[in-house]
Amino acid sequence: MIIKKYKLKGKVERMIQRYKFDERLDKLHKEIMIMSSIVEEMLRDSVKSLINKDDDLARKVIERDDDVDEKEIMLQELCIKIIATQQPVATDLRTIASVFKILTNLERIADHAVNIAETTLDLIKEDYIKPLIDIPKLSEIALESVKISIDSYVNQDITTLDAMIDKENQIDSLFRKIYRDLLEYMIEDPKNIKQAARFTFVASYLERVGDHGTNIFESVHYIVTGEYKDFKDLEGVRNLNS
């Protein structure tokens, strides 16, 4: 009877511990969604500031970078606290380890938004050498890539691989077009070199945002399957899975 009582007590304690773990993990998921929303808004605002030469909006983007850094640290500390106090099993450890990588990628997207906002301030008094048409398109596709990867994390669903491949191909194709167009402007008139180079950097920042979206998806794949795959070549990964 005493043994049964202790077994029951141990079972109840494990259930309580698991409940606390799930509660903290749920908080972690929600905070990552909030951080992702902040980062996406920063990137969208940074490109908007560049198009409209909006110095106030550009400065707001730069100021928000501190908020993202603080949230990253807060969530890293939450991950450490979960590991230290909840004794997670192997699957849970995979999730928490992957969250560290996801946080890093989101923080770097925020850094790229800041880089674009700083470009706005650098070019604020200059007449643009060309209308900015493709750069906003590239930013939206890159943001869609990030959204797909974050949704995959939230839903623990990697069936969106084809959608990620499609976005990656669109990003690569549009980046090459932007690069070629700006190179022609440089060749036509050396006076265009400085500004064309800055716009090329902006395009490269946006391409990297797409890369970070892929990295996040890579982490989700590891959480779901327990297998690590290098997603630098998404087409290659799809062929392996087919």
Side-chain angles (χ1 to χ4, degrees), residues 6-22:
Y6 276 112
K7 283 184 177 179
L8 181 60
K9 183 181 178 182
K11 187 177 180 180
V12 170
E13 287 176 349
R14 286 193 297 273
M15 288 174 65
I16 293 171
Q17 189 176 44
R18 184 69 210 185
Y19 174 79
K20 288 180 179 178
F21 175 83
D22 289 340

Side-chain angles (χ1 to χ4, degrees), residues 2 9 14 37 41 46 58 66 70 72 90 108 134 155 168 178 190 216 234:
I2 295 174
K9 183 181 178 182
R14 286 193 297 273
S37 296
E41 185 178 26
S46 69
D66 289 339
E70 288 175 8
E72 181 190 21
R108 286 177 181 169
D134 289 328
N155 300 317
E168 183 185 65
I178 293 170
I216 293 170
L234 283 173

Side-chain angles (χ1 to χ4, degrees), residues 10-231:
K11 187 177 180 180
V12 170
E13 287 176 349
R14 286 193 297 273
M15 288 174 65
I16 293 171
Q17 189 176 44
R18 184 69 210 185
Y19 174 79
K20 288 180 179 178
F21 175 83
D22 289 340
E23 196 175 45
R24 286 181 174 174
L25 203 59
D26 185 56
K27 179 183 178 183
L28 188 62
H29 293 335
K30 289 176 180 176
E31 289 293 336
I32 286 175
M33 290 173 65
I34 292 170
M35 182 175 175
S36 176
S37 296
I38 294 170
V39 166
E40 289 173 32
E41 185 178 26
M42 283 177 65
L43 188 69
R44 196 169 277 112
D45 284 348
S46 69
V47 174
K48 187 177 179 182
S49 76
L50 184 66
I51 296 166
N52 299 327
K53 295 186 178 181
D54 188 335
D55 57 336
D56 288 336
L57 187 58
R59 288 190 174 90
K60 286 178 183 176
V61 171
I62 295 169
E63 288 169 3
R64 294 195 79 181
D65 191 43
D66 289 339
D67 296 335
V68 173
D69 290 342
E70 288 175 8
K71 187 164 283 292
E72 181 190 21
I73 293 169
M74 183 268 284
L75 294 178
Q76 286 175 343
E77 290 175 348
L78 178 57
C79 287
I80 292 168
K81 189 173 183 179
I82 291 172
I83 293 172
T85 62
Q86 301 300 317
Q87 299 177 339
V89 297
T91 305
D92 299 325
L93 278 172
R94 274 208 312 269
T95 299
I96 296 167
S98 297
V99 163
F100 278 104
K101 289 187 176 181
I102 291 170
L103 292 174
T104 298
N105 280 284
L106 288 175
E107 191 276 331
R108 286 177 181 169
I109 293 171
D111 288 343
H112 295 318
V114 169
N115 292 335
I116 295 170
E118 289 173 343
T119 301
T120 297
L121 298 179
D122 288 343
L123 301 178
I124 201 81
K125 295 181 180 179
E126 297 183 22
D127 293 327
Y128 289 164
I129 58 176
K130 69 185 294 293
L132 299 184
I133 297 171
D134 289 328
I135 282 177
K137 289 180 183 177
L138 183 58
S139 72
E140 285 305 314
I141 299 169
L143 281 167
E144 286 167 8
S145 172
V146 174
K147 188 176 185 308
I148 290 170
S149 64
I150 291 297
D151 287 347
S152 296
Y153 167 74
V154 171
N155 300 317
Q156 300 290 282
D157 176 21
I158 55 173
T159 60
T160 51
L161 176 61
D162 286 346
M164 284 297 296
I165 292 170
D166 182 51
K167 295 305 172 188
E168 183 185 65
N169 289 338
Q170 288 180 44
I171 290 167
D172 290 344
S173 177
L174 191 52
F175 174 74
R176 287 194 295 269
K177 179 182 182 299
I178 293 170
Y179 180 82
R180 287 194 303 269
D181 289 348
L182 290 170
L183 186 60
E184 287 180 8
Y185 274 88
M186 293 185 202
I187 294 170
E188 285 175 6
D189 188 347
K191 293 179 182 177
N192 293 333
I193 291 176
K194 175 196 168 185
Q195 200 177 112
R198 295 308 301 269
F199 289 144
T200 301
F201 279 126
V202 169
S204 70
Y205 298 144
L206 295 171
E207 184 196 30
R208 288 174 202 163
V209 169
D211 290 340
H212 291 307
T214 299
N215 292 344
I216 293 170
F217 193 85
E218 182 181 288
S219 295
V220 178
H221 183 276
Y222 176 63
I223 291 170
V224 173
T225 67
E227 296 178 5
Y228 174 79
K229 287 186 179 179
D230 189 341
F231 276 43

